[in-house]
Amino acid sequence: MAKAKIKRKTTGFDIAHRIGTCLLAVAAFPLLYFLDFIYYILDHSSIYNTINVISNLLNGSDETEAATEQSVELTEGYINISKFAEMKDLWFQLGGEKLNIRSIIEREAARPLVIALSFLAFVLVLLLVIFIIAAVSNKKLPLVIISGIGMLSCGASSLVFNVFFAKPMIDGVEGRGLADVLGLEDSFSGIIVAFLSDVVTLKYASGFYAVFFILLGICVWTLSFMIVNAGDPEEKKIKEAKEQAKIEKKKQKEKAKEKKTAKETANC
């Protein structure tokens, strides 16, 4: 006897949830692409102060006077994924080698960045999975689980980026400077980059946080629908029907086992 498939009717709330979830999942991609991805502050004070000291000495000031006139010269900016082509051209002009994944991974200074971005790439894959599930079904629990995993992956990406990539660079750890990450440590441009710019701040910007809050939004959005549907009489009927189906299946297995035992006994 064929078993009737237990299926819940699709309601207007389900359709609204699916459309909203799909739109949120898709929105993450252009936001990450066009919004600022990394925020940085560079300190050029060392070169400016060196020039000031030399200038003051040439003008007749003594060494103590010349050294007291210190200034702070900072440059802040953002790295944007949509402008990567322009940054790549600048990188080549500075003497950078050909870009390829293997050379970047093998570069110790850049390895934490590669790991952090790998976590972020995994998050984007999860967003695609969320979009597909929301587009083809009314299932909500998988969306909550996947969005939760996505948020944890965002946290892991941020941790690796801040602790293992940005902090050593800011602290001036040898072999972890800007020139080492760019692969310019053996070029004249690398010497200039290392001398002119100390990294003061380096962190994820709005594009990254947009992705995180979209995942949080999907999770909260889906949970709210699950809570609303929890009191739905139809949901209770489906749950009861599933429990009954499990009991029937168990009984059928027991009957089949009894028949098999009886048959084996008869053959003996």
Side-chain angles (χ1 to χ4, degrees), residues 126-235:
L126 292 178
L127 283 164
L128 280 174
V129 173
I130 286 172
F131 175 82
I132 293 166
I133 292 173
V136 301
S137 76
N138 292 324
K139 291 180 180 178
K140 294 178 177 64
L141 185 58
L143 299 180
V144 174
I145 294 169
I146 294 169
S147 58
I149 294 169
M151 285 187 283
L152 289 174
S153 298
C154 281
S157 177
S158 181
L159 178 69
V160 173
F161 185 88
N162 292 328
V163 176
F164 298 102
F165 178 68
K167 193 175 184 299
M169 191 182 292
I170 293 166
D171 292 344
V173 176
E174 189 178 350
R176 292 298 186 90
L178 188 58
D180 300 289
V181 173
L182 295 173
L184 302 171
E185 64 275 13
D186 297 325
S187 68
F188 179 69
S189 299
I191 297 169
I192 295 172
V193 168
F195 183 64
L196 292 183
S197 302
D198 291 326
V199 179
V200 177
T201 300
L202 191 67
K203 59 185 179 181
Y204 281 137
S206 54
F208 172 81
Y209 291 106
V211 173
F212 176 81
F213 283 113
I214 280 173
L215 286 165
L216 179 61
I218 290 171
C219 187
V220 173
W221 169 256
T222 306
L223 279 172
S224 65
F225 275 88
M226 288 177 72
I227 291 166
V228 169
N229 288 335
D232 188 354
E234 191 175 347
E235 285 286 340

Side-chain angles (χ1 to χ4, degrees), residues 13-28:
F13 286 106
D14 292 321
I15 294 169
H17 171 262
R18 288 168 65 176
I19 292 171
T21 304
C22 287
L23 289 174
L24 282 170
V26 169

Side-chain angles (χ1 to χ4, degrees), residues 33 79-90 99:
Y33 185 75
I79 296 173
N80 193 303
I81 296 174
S82 63
K83 295 178 181 176
F84 177 73
E86 296 172 20
M87 293 187 290
K88 187 176 71 172
D89 292 339
L90 175 62
L99 280 173

Side-chain angles (χ1 to χ4, degrees), residues 100-112:
N100 64 77
I101 299 296
R102 186 176 176 182
S103 68
I104 292 170
I105 292 172
E106 288 175 352
R107 200 175 300 143
E108 189 179 347
R111 207 167 292 161

Side-chain angles (χ1 to χ4, degrees), residues 115-135:
I115 295 169
L117 295 180
S118 298
F119 276 115
L120 192 57
F122 177 62
V123 170
L124 296 179
V125 172
L126 292 178
L127 283 164
L128 280 174
V129 173
I130 286 172
F131 175 82
I132 293 166
I133 292 173

